[in-house]
Amino acid sequence: MNYHIMTLFPEMMEKCLGESIIGRALRAGLISVDIVNIRDHADPGRKGRVDDYPFGGGAGMVMQAGPIDRAYQSIRAGLDHDPRVIYLTPQGRVFDQPMARELAAEEDLVFLCGHYEGVDERIIEKIVTDNVSIGDYVLTGGELPALVMIDAISRMVPGVLSNAESGEEESFSDGLLEYPQYTRPADYQGMKVPDILLSGDHAKVAAWRREQSLLRTRERRPDLLK
Ligand code: ADE
Protein backbone atom coordinates (compact mmCIF):
# COMPACT_ATOMS: atom_id res chain seq x y z
CA MET A 1 0.00 0.00 0.00
CA ASN A 2 1.50 3.32 -1.08
CA TYR A 3 -0.09 6.48 0.28
CA HIS A 4 0.47 9.84 -1.44
CA ILE A 5 -0.64 12.86 0.56
CA MET A 6 -1.10 16.36 -0.85
CA THR A 7 -1.03 18.81 2.05
CA LEU A 8 0.01 22.27 3.26
CA PHE A 9 1.25 20.73 6.55
CA PRO A 10 3.76 17.98 5.72
CA GLU A 11 5.44 18.01 9.16
CA MET A 12 2.12 17.27 10.85
CA MET A 13 1.65 14.17 8.71
CA GLU A 14 5.23 12.96 9.09
CA LYS A 15 5.17 13.19 12.88
CA CYS A 16 1.91 11.31 13.31
CA LEU A 17 2.72 8.54 10.85
CA GLY A 18 6.10 7.70 12.41
CA GLU A 19 4.56 6.39 15.65
CA SER A 20 3.11 3.13 16.93
CA ILE A 21 1.75 0.39 14.65
CA ILE A 22 1.72 2.58 11.52
CA GLY A 23 5.34 3.65 12.12
CA ARG A 24 6.30 0.00 12.54
CA ALA A 25 4.50 -0.92 9.27
CA LEU A 26 6.36 1.88 7.47
CA ARG A 27 9.73 0.69 8.75
CA ALA A 28 8.83 -2.88 7.75
CA GLY A 29 8.01 -1.71 4.21
CA LEU A 30 4.39 -2.96 4.39
CA ILE A 31 3.15 0.55 3.62
CA SER A 32 4.86 3.64 2.24
CA VAL A 33 4.01 7.32 2.54
CA ASP A 34 4.94 10.01 0.04
CA ILE A 35 4.08 13.50 1.29
CA VAL A 36 3.77 16.27 -1.30
CA ASN A 37 3.79 19.88 -0.11
CA ILE A 38 1.26 21.74 -2.27
CA ARG A 39 3.21 24.97 -1.63
CA ASP A 40 6.13 23.57 -3.63
CA HIS A 41 3.81 23.79 -6.66
CA ALA A 42 2.65 27.40 -6.19
CA ASP A 43 2.21 29.67 -9.24
CA PRO A 44 5.48 31.41 -10.17
CA GLY A 45 5.90 34.76 -8.40
CA ARG A 46 3.43 33.93 -5.59
CA LYS A 47 6.16 32.96 -3.11
CA GLY A 48 4.53 29.71 -2.06
CA ARG A 49 0.99 31.13 -1.78
CA VAL A 50 -1.61 28.73 -3.06
CA ASP A 51 -4.90 30.45 -2.08
CA ASP A 52 -6.87 33.39 -3.48
CA TYR A 53 -10.12 35.32 -3.02
CA PRO A 54 -13.38 33.56 -3.94
CA PHE A 55 -15.05 34.69 -7.17
CA GLY A 56 -18.44 36.17 -6.28
CA GLY A 57 -17.14 37.47 -2.97
CA GLY A 58 -17.59 36.15 0.55
CA ALA A 59 -15.39 35.39 3.51
CA GLY A 60 -12.27 33.26 3.47
CA MET A 61 -9.84 32.09 0.86
CA VAL A 62 -10.01 29.28 -1.67
CA MET A 63 -7.17 26.94 -2.63
CA GLN A 64 -6.25 27.36 -6.29
CA ALA A 65 -6.57 24.58 -8.85
CA GLY A 66 -3.10 24.97 -10.43
CA PRO A 67 -0.86 24.10 -7.48
CA ILE A 68 -2.99 21.05 -6.59
CA ASP A 69 -3.02 19.93 -10.23
CA ARG A 70 0.78 20.13 -10.44
CA ALA A 71 1.18 18.37 -7.08
CA TYR A 72 -1.07 15.58 -8.40
CA GLN A 73 0.77 15.34 -11.74
CA SER A 74 4.05 14.92 -9.82
CA ILE A 75 2.50 11.90 -8.08
CA ARG A 76 0.83 10.50 -11.23
CA ALA A 77 4.14 10.67 -13.14
CA GLY A 78 5.56 7.99 -10.83
CA LEU A 79 2.65 5.55 -11.28
CA ASP A 80 1.57 3.27 -14.13
CA HIS A 81 -2.18 3.64 -13.49
CA ASP A 82 -4.77 6.25 -12.45
CA PRO A 83 -5.01 5.94 -8.65
CA ARG A 84 -8.07 6.63 -6.53
CA VAL A 85 -7.89 10.23 -5.33
CA ILE A 86 -9.66 10.91 -2.05
CA TYR A 87 -10.74 14.45 -1.16
CA LEU A 88 -11.42 14.88 2.56
CA THR A 89 -14.58 16.92 2.95
CA PRO A 90 -17.60 17.05 5.26
CA GLN A 91 -19.62 16.82 2.03
CA GLY A 92 -18.36 13.31 1.29
CA ARG A 93 -19.63 9.78 1.90
CA VAL A 94 -19.10 8.87 5.56
CA PHE A 95 -16.05 6.65 6.13
CA ASP A 96 -16.70 3.28 7.79
CA GLN A 97 -15.09 -0.14 8.32
CA PRO A 98 -16.30 -1.67 5.01
CA MET A 99 -14.78 1.32 3.15
CA ALA A 100 -11.50 0.87 5.07
CA ARG A 101 -11.44 -2.80 4.05
CA GLU A 102 -12.20 -1.97 0.42
CA LEU A 103 -9.53 0.76 0.17
CA ALA A 104 -6.93 -1.53 1.77
CA ALA A 105 -6.98 -3.60 -1.44
CA GLU A 106 -5.69 -0.66 -3.54
CA GLU A 107 -2.04 -0.41 -4.52
CA ASP A 108 -1.90 3.39 -4.31
CA LEU A 109 -4.15 5.93 -2.61
CA VAL A 110 -3.88 9.68 -3.07
CA PHE A 111 -5.27 12.03 -0.39
CA LEU A 112 -6.04 15.69 -1.03
CA CYS A 113 -6.13 17.66 2.23
CA GLY A 114 -7.99 20.92 1.80
CA HIS A 115 -7.79 24.05 3.94
CA TYR A 116 -9.14 27.57 4.15
CA GLU A 117 -12.77 27.82 3.05
CA GLY A 118 -12.39 25.23 0.37
CA VAL A 119 -10.80 24.16 -2.86
CA ASP A 120 -11.54 25.37 -6.39
CA GLU A 121 -14.30 23.04 -7.61
CA ARG A 122 -12.62 22.51 -10.98
CA ILE A 123 -9.69 20.56 -9.53
CA ILE A 124 -12.11 18.34 -7.59
CA GLU A 125 -13.95 17.64 -10.85
CA LYS A 126 -10.68 17.00 -12.66
CA ILE A 127 -8.82 14.61 -10.35
CA VAL A 128 -10.95 13.43 -7.39
CA THR A 129 -12.55 9.95 -7.53
CA ASP A 130 -13.92 9.78 -3.95
CA ASN A 131 -15.26 12.54 -1.67
CA VAL A 132 -14.98 11.20 1.88
CA SER A 133 -16.06 12.58 5.28
CA ILE A 134 -15.03 11.11 8.63
CA GLY A 135 -18.21 12.27 10.34
CA ASP A 136 -20.85 14.96 10.61
CA TYR A 137 -18.74 17.76 12.07
CA VAL A 138 -16.46 20.35 10.53
CA LEU A 139 -12.68 20.29 11.04
CA THR A 140 -10.19 22.99 10.08
CA GLY A 141 -8.57 20.86 7.39
CA GLY A 142 -8.25 17.46 5.78
CA GLU A 143 -5.03 16.39 7.54
CA LEU A 144 -6.62 14.74 10.59
CA PRO A 145 -9.28 12.97 8.48
CA ALA A 146 -6.53 11.64 6.17
CA LEU A 147 -4.61 10.36 9.21
CA VAL A 148 -7.75 8.70 10.56
CA MET A 149 -8.34 6.96 7.24
CA ILE A 150 -4.70 5.89 6.84
CA ASP A 151 -4.74 4.37 10.33
CA ALA A 152 -7.96 2.43 9.72
CA ILE A 153 -6.95 1.30 6.21
CA SER A 154 -3.40 0.28 7.19
CA ARG A 155 -4.54 -2.09 9.90
CA MET A 156 -6.51 -3.95 7.19
CA VAL A 157 -3.33 -4.40 5.09
CA PRO A 158 -2.03 -7.97 5.47
CA GLY A 159 0.91 -8.18 7.90
CA VAL A 160 0.42 -4.79 9.54
CA LEU A 161 -1.19 -6.28 12.64
CA SER A 162 0.51 -9.19 14.38
CA ASN A 163 -1.63 -12.27 15.04
CA ALA A 164 -2.14 -11.05 18.61
CA GLU A 165 -3.35 -7.65 17.38
CA SER A 166 -5.39 -9.15 14.57
CA GLY A 167 -8.64 -7.49 13.73
CA GLU A 168 -10.80 -10.62 13.59
CA GLU A 169 -12.65 -10.40 16.90
CA GLU A 170 -13.29 -6.75 17.40
CA SER A 171 -15.82 -4.01 17.01
CA PHE A 172 -17.40 -3.89 13.53
CA SER A 173 -15.67 -6.99 12.14
CA ASP A 174 -18.99 -8.80 12.56
CA GLY A 175 -21.10 -5.64 12.59
CA LEU A 176 -21.26 -5.61 16.42
CA LEU A 177 -19.39 -3.71 19.11
CA GLU A 178 -16.66 -5.55 20.97
CA TYR A 179 -17.37 -7.29 24.30
CA PRO A 180 -15.76 -5.90 27.50
CA GLN A 181 -12.17 -6.94 28.29
CA TYR A 182 -10.46 -7.44 31.66
CA THR A 183 -6.94 -8.19 32.89
CA ARG A 184 -5.28 -8.64 36.29
CA PRO A 185 -6.01 -8.04 39.10
CA ALA A 186 -9.23 -10.10 39.26
CA ASP A 187 -10.47 -7.78 42.01
CA TYR A 188 -9.85 -4.07 41.43
CA GLN A 189 -10.97 -1.91 44.37
CA GLY A 190 -13.81 -4.35 45.02
CA MET A 191 -14.85 -4.48 41.34
CA LYS A 192 -14.69 -8.14 40.30
CA VAL A 193 -14.07 -9.68 36.89
CA PRO A 194 -17.13 -11.71 35.74
CA ASP A 195 -16.73 -15.28 37.14
CA ILE A 196 -17.26 -16.90 33.77
CA LEU A 197 -13.98 -15.42 32.46
CA LEU A 198 -12.10 -17.20 35.26
CA SER A 199 -13.88 -20.51 34.68
CA GLY A 200 -11.60 -21.82 31.92
CA ASP A 201 -14.68 -23.01 29.98
CA HIS A 202 -13.96 -21.70 26.47
CA ALA A 203 -17.42 -22.41 25.06
CA LYS A 204 -19.10 -20.58 27.93
CA VAL A 205 -16.67 -17.66 27.59
CA ALA A 206 -17.42 -17.41 23.85
CA ALA A 207 -21.18 -17.47 24.47
CA TRP A 208 -20.87 -14.82 27.19
CA ARG A 209 -18.81 -12.56 24.91
CA ARG A 210 -21.29 -12.91 22.06
CA GLU A 211 -24.14 -11.99 24.40
CA GLN A 212 -22.21 -8.99 25.76
CA SER A 213 -21.50 -7.81 22.20
CA LEU A 214 -25.19 -7.96 21.38
CA LEU A 215 -26.24 -6.22 24.62
CA ARG A 216 -23.66 -3.49 24.17
CA THR A 217 -24.59 -2.92 20.54
CA ARG A 218 -28.33 -2.76 21.37
CA GLU A 219 -27.64 -0.27 24.16
CA ARG A 220 -25.04 1.98 22.53
CA ARG A 221 -25.47 1.63 18.78
CA PRO A 222 -28.93 0.18 18.01
CA ASP A 223 -28.56 1.52 14.45
CA LEU A 224 -25.94 -1.21 13.79
CA LEU A 225 -28.44 -4.01 14.47
CA LYS A 226 -30.72 -3.02 11.58
N1 ADE B 1 -12.64 18.47 6.42
C1 ADE B 1 -13.26 19.23 7.34
N2 ADE B 1 -14.12 18.51 8.06
C2 ADE B 1 -14.05 17.22 7.60
C3 ADE B 1 -14.69 16.00 7.92
N3 ADE B 1 -15.60 15.91 8.89
N4 ADE B 1 -14.35 14.90 7.24
C4 ADE B 1 -13.43 14.97 6.24
N5 ADE B 1 -12.81 16.08 5.88
C5 ADE B 1 -13.10 17.21 6.54
Side-chain angles (χ1 to χ4, degrees):
M1 167 62 74
N2 304 302
Y3 299 109
H4 310 266
I5 308 168
M6 296 187 275
T7 174
L8 294 173
F9 300 97
E11 296 87 7
M12 175 178 176
M13 307 306 277
E14 259 156 41
K15 281 203 187 101
C16 289
L17 293 167
E19 301 287 335
S20 188
I21 293 174
I22 305 305
R24 184 182 73 192
L26 272 171
R27 288 184 290 277
L30 294 165
I31 61 174
S32 76
V33 179
D34 154 39
I35 300 171
V36 179
N37 189 342
I38 298 169
R39 270 185 225 294
D40 292 343
H41 299 274
D43 284 347
R46 292 211 71 216
K47 300 186 181 137
R49 286 204 65 172
V50 296
D51 62 338
D52 212 329
Y53 295 99
F55 279 123
M61 302 294 274
V62 176
M63 285 173 70
Q64 296 176 280
I68 295 170
D69 206 356
R70 290 188 290 273
Y72 174 69
Q73 297 312 328
S74 78
I75 294 166
R76 179 65 186 85
L79 305 178
D80 58 7
H81 63 283
D82 284 326
R84 280 172 85 165
V85 180
I86 296 164
Y87 175 48
L88 290 313
T89 168
Q91 301 176 23
R93 189 175 138 208
V94 178
F95 185 57
D96 59 10
Q97 193 64 40
M99 204 195 300
R101 213 171 287 128
E102 180 202 321
L103 291 173
E106 296 288 323
E107 203 174 318
D108 293 275
L109 286 175
V110 178
F111 292 90
L112 170 57
C113 305
H115 253 266
Y116 308 115
E117 300 306 305
V119 167
D120 191 308
E121 190 67 22
R122 291 168 294 183
I123 194 60
I124 298 172
E125 273 172 32
K126 182 173 173 190
I127 67 168
V128 170
T129 59
D130 300 81
N131 289 278
V132 181
S133 166
I134 62 159
D136 290 338
Y137 40 80
V138 180
L139 299 164
T140 55
E143 280 75 14
L144 288 171
L147 288 168
V148 165
M149 288 186 67
I150 288 169
D151 191 288
I153 294 164
S154 297
R155 53 192 296 296
M156 293 292 107
V157 171
V160 168
L161 296 185
S162 65
N163 279 344
E165 293 158 349
S166 167
E168 273 310 299
E169 251 192 83
E170 64 179 35
S171 292
F172 301 118
S173 65
D174 56 0
L176 297 175
L177 301 185
E178 202 191 7
Y179 47 80
Q181 297 270 27
Y182 303 86
T183 187
R184 283 185 282 191
D187 182 331
Y188 181 67
Q189 297 182 352
M191 301 160 80
K192 298 209 169 57
V193 169
D195 284 337
I196 212 156
L197 298 179
L198 310 174
S199 69
D201 185 331
H202 296 304
K204 276 197 181 146
V205 168
W208 180 86
R209 286 179 165 167
R210 174 81 190 164
E211 188 193 340
Q212 291 296 316
S213 278
L214 281 163
L215 284 171
R216 189 160 272 206
T217 308
R218 190 183 318 147
E219 193 178 298
R220 300 184 185 183
R221 292 292 307 277
D223 56 299
L224 293 177
L225 290 175
K226 288 198 194 102

